Amino acid sequence: MDEEWSDLMEHLDEELKEVSCPECIRCGWCCKQTVCYYGEWDYQKWQCKFLTDDNLCSKYDEIVRYESQLGLDPGLFGSGCCLNFMNPYRVKIMLESQQGGRCEENEANG
């Protein structure tokens, strides 16, 4: 029994090391729901004021530089999309990318 328990715990430990959030595809959903540590809410647009029209973060370079200096790994960008359930923007981009759409355009961030 102890060996089974040990194997189970080892398996769970390995699963916890795996990224549980799917890849970010830069759909803008999270920035239209709330702001991150670096953001500011725009009450007229009802989204983060740093979100560009093409769903990129206008503070991306600044944030990456800052987090790199702090040694954060992972940082804000590149940690995955943890707001993917019931996300119509993500679904739309994924469908477009399957049909040869615009997903490649947003690879500048994330």
Side-chain angles (χ1 to χ4, degrees), residues 19 21 24 36-38 60 62-82 110:
V19 176
C21 299
C24 171
C36 71
Y37 298 114
Y38 310 101
Y60 175 82
E62 175 187 339
I63 293 168
V64 169
R65 260 192 318 276
Y66 176 69
E67 289 186 342
S68 177
Q69 291 171 352
L70 294 177
L72 295 181
D73 185 30
L76 178 67
F77 299 102
S79 58
C81 177
C82 295

Side-chain angles (χ1 to χ4, degrees), residues 2-18:
D2 286 337
E3 188 175 330
E4 288 178 35
W5 181 256
S6 177
D7 289 345
L8 175 62
M9 294 307 292
E10 188 175 318
H11 175 72
L12 290 173
D13 187 50
E14 290 301 315
E15 282 190 2
L16 288 173
K17 291 177 185 175
E18 295 291 320

Side-chain angles (χ1 to χ4, degrees), residues 23-27 31 50-52 54-62 64 77-78 103-110:
E23 179 183 1
C24 171
I25 59 173
R26 291 154 292 285
C27 66
C31 301
F50 302 115
L51 183 65
T52 65
D54 54 352
N55 292 328
L56 301 177
C57 177
S58 62
K59 292 183 70 148
Y60 175 82
D61 292 332
E62 175 187 339
V64 169
F77 299 102
C103 191
E104 312 82 46
E105 291 177 10
N106 284 337
E107 289 186 0
N109 285 347

